[in-house]
Amino acid sequence: MMQFMLLFSRQGKLRLQKWYVAHPDKLKKKITRELITTILARKPKMSSFLEWKDVKVVYKRYASLYFCCAIEQVDNELLTLEIIHRYVELLDKYFGSVCELDIIFNFEKAYFILDELLVGGEIQETSKKNVLKAIAAQDLLQEEETPQGFFEDHGLG
């Protein structure tokens, strides 16, 4: 089971975090800081897997973002790398070549996509098509809730 997923920039700025195991906020900050520092210090040719404390860490860099997951000792690193890649593919499909700014300004969508893919640290849906359908349905629902002209009618537009 996945313990958590972190997305951070090359500058070490945390862009998204999803925890599947409860930890106090202070410990989450400490773990995040230590892992970001450790991963950023690694050379590009080094393995994307590392043993860290009592978990295995799997990470991959895509453009300016690092995607990092902590998994239990018995979990498969290659499967985790595949989950990271699947998440990036979904973000790419949704945003059209995702970039760091997409995550910053649309973080709720990034979380929603992740929640459609993973539940409780386990893979929920393997079909990209089904995940994208769920996201499209959610977008449609949001559009219906905010009628066209709402802002103008209320002097906000």
Side-chain angles (χ1 to χ4, degrees), residues 60-145:
K60 180 89 172 119
R61 181 178 156 199
Y62 289 91
S64 66
L65 283 174
Y66 284 87
F67 292 73
C68 169
C69 297
I71 56 174
E72 294 172 1
Q73 291 293 337
V74 293
D75 289 334
N76 186 328
E77 300 94 331
L78 293 175
L79 181 61
T80 305
L81 211 50
E82 185 59 35
I83 291 169
I84 291 171
H85 187 70
R86 177 65 46 107
Y87 183 47
V88 171
E89 286 179 324
L90 286 165
L91 290 171
D92 265 347
K93 280 246 195 283
Y94 185 78
F95 291 111
S97 189
V98 69
C99 69
E100 192 175 342
L101 289 175
D102 291 323
I103 304 293
I104 293 168
F105 292 117
N106 301 290
F107 63 90
E108 69 285 341
K109 282 292 171 203
Y111 277 110
F112 186 77
I113 293 168
L114 185 60
D115 290 343
E116 285 296 314
L117 183 66
L118 295 170
V119 172
E122 300 285 348
I123 190 87
Q124 172 69 18
E125 179 59 72
T126 56
S127 165
K128 285 187 280 191
K129 199 162 80 175
N130 287 348
V131 171
L132 291 168
K133 268 200 259 180
I135 297 159
Q138 181 66 28
D139 285 349
L140 196 61
L141 194 63
Q142 272 184 314
E143 284 175 24
E144 288 171 3
E145 287 177 3

